[in-house]
Amino acid sequence: MNKINQLFSSRGDQKLLSLYFCAGCPTLEGTADVILAMQRHGISMVEVGIPFSDPLADGPVIQSAGTVALRNGMTLRHLFSQLSAIKDQVQIPLVLMGYLNVVMHHGIERFCRDCVESGVSGMIIPDLPFRDYMEVVKPIADRYDLRVIMMITPETSEERIRLIDEHTEGFIYMVSSASITGAQKSFDDAKQAYFRKINAMALRNPRMIGFGISNKQTLTSAYHNAAGAIIGSKFVTLLNETRDPDEALRQLKQVLEED
């Protein structure tokens, strides 16, 4: 069974926590250390960012991380090599997050094959049109038993949400707001209404809420309204400040427990 499906089918009532970081930042060769540290600290799933020169959905923290990674020399080929080296040590699901241009340049078939060979269970491609997903990407990804995770936002129509729910597996990435990534102190009434609306749709797939989760209040809200939470910018900031994944994870845990 795909590790993403296995994670959600076996979680019971447990709320899941997924963390994002950008491969190659703060150091080129730190990818394995970050992933293995997350596994030791009980993180449920890891999103590994593929750096790109024009990341439209990303806020300043993750944009800066991508710039550093590219300057450090990170490439998709090097990332696959790093992941392959620790494949046998990693039990938690790995999801690659990157833009369509990078995937297309690598070749979709080759990208999927390299994902499987390096222990990756799924991918998030924020700028992948749904039609292209259905006609081009999904048939190849299905052949390799890979999950293509689609995003929804408060601006996504109910019709499109139903289509995504019907034609994807794994989980749905529920973006907390129709904006770029970045930490937020709380989720306002409009976001809470959005969460309630999606809950009422009784979707087939579990959801993970991401974008803006950085403290106990936003984490608790995400846990209340979905299967779990995804944290990116806050962890990337701590990782850049400490340059030590274990210390960054300790500090993140402390921040998420503070009232």
Side-chain angles (χ1 to χ4, degrees):
M1 180 187 292
N2 179 283
K3 284 185 180 180
I4 296 172
N5 294 80
Q6 188 174 21
L7 173 67
F8 284 93
S9 65
S10 64
R11 72 180 183 91
D13 294 328
Q14 177 189 0
K15 295 299 182 178
L16 305 177
L17 180 60
S18 177
L19 297 185
Y20 167 96
F21 77 103
C22 182
C25 180
T27 65
L28 177 62
E29 300 302 338
T31 303
D33 289 341
V34 176
I35 293 171
L36 294 175
M38 288 185 186
Q39 182 168 269
R40 287 195 302 272
H41 285 258
I43 301 304
S44 309
M45 181 167 53
V46 181
E47 289 180 21
V48 184
I50 305 167
F52 182 52
S53 57
D54 191 23
L56 298 177
D58 295 326
V61 170
I62 293 177
Q63 282 192 24
S64 177
T67 299
V68 170
L70 291 172
R71 287 177 180 166
N72 285 343
M74 178 54 73
T75 64
L76 184 55
R77 181 179 297 181
H78 191 59
L79 173 57
F80 278 131
S81 175
Q82 291 178 326
L83 297 177
S84 294
I86 59 169
K87 177 182 178 180
D88 294 339
Q89 301 175 60
V90 179
Q91 282 79 51
I92 58 179
L94 300 181
V95 178
L96 289 188
M97 186 168 186
Y99 288 86
L100 185 59
N101 182 281
V102 178
V103 177
M104 294 294 289
H105 187 264
H106 195 76
I108 294 173
E109 181 95 28
R110 180 184 173 200
F111 182 83
C112 290
R113 182 175 63 248
D114 287 346
C115 280
V116 171
E117 292 177 353
S118 59
V120 172
S121 298
M123 65 193 82
I124 301 170
I125 308 173
D127 57 341
L128 173 64
F130 189 75
R131 181 174 178 177
D132 290 348
Y133 160 70
M134 289 295 295
E135 294 179 357
V136 180
V137 177
K138 185 179 187 299
I140 300 173
D142 285 351
R143 201 159 64 238
Y144 286 90
D145 194 31
L146 290 168
R147 303 292 169 258
V148 182
I149 308 305
M150 303 295 284
M151 292 176 155
I152 63 172
T153 77
E155 308 300 320
T156 307
S157 69
E158 181 170 338
E159 179 184 12
R160 183 179 174 87
I161 293 171
R162 296 286 185 195
L163 277 174
I164 288 171
D165 190 44
E166 181 182 354
H167 295 288
T168 64
E169 288 187 59
F171 68 96
I172 292 174
Y173 192 131
M174 192 171 162
V175 177
S176 67
S177 59
S179 64
I180 58 174
T181 57
Q184 299 177 33
K185 291 183 179 179
S186 64
F187 290 142
D188 60 21
D189 291 343
K191 293 185 180 66
Q192 296 292 345
Y194 160 57
F195 296 158
R196 290 193 295 272
K197 170 191 168 184
I198 302 302
N199 283 335
M201 291 179 69
L203 299 176
R204 179 177 62 88
N205 279 296
R207 285 109 50 219
M208 296 283 284
I209 295 178
F211 283 48
I213 298 171
S214 63
N215 56 22
K216 185 176 181 180
Q217 184 175 356
T218 49
L219 179 68
T220 300
S221 181
Y223 280 174
H224 180 71
N225 289 285
I230 300 167
I231 297 177
S233 295
K234 186 63 179 180
F235 177 70
V236 170
T237 297
L238 292 172
L239 184 60
N240 287 339
E241 289 174 353
T242 63
R243 301 181 74 84
D244 178 341
D246 285 298
E247 179 58 27
L249 287 158
R250 282 192 289 269
Q251 290 189 21
L252 179 65
K253 182 179 179 182
Q254 183 178 1
V255 167
L256 296 177
E257 291 176 349
E258 291 174 351
D259 290 319

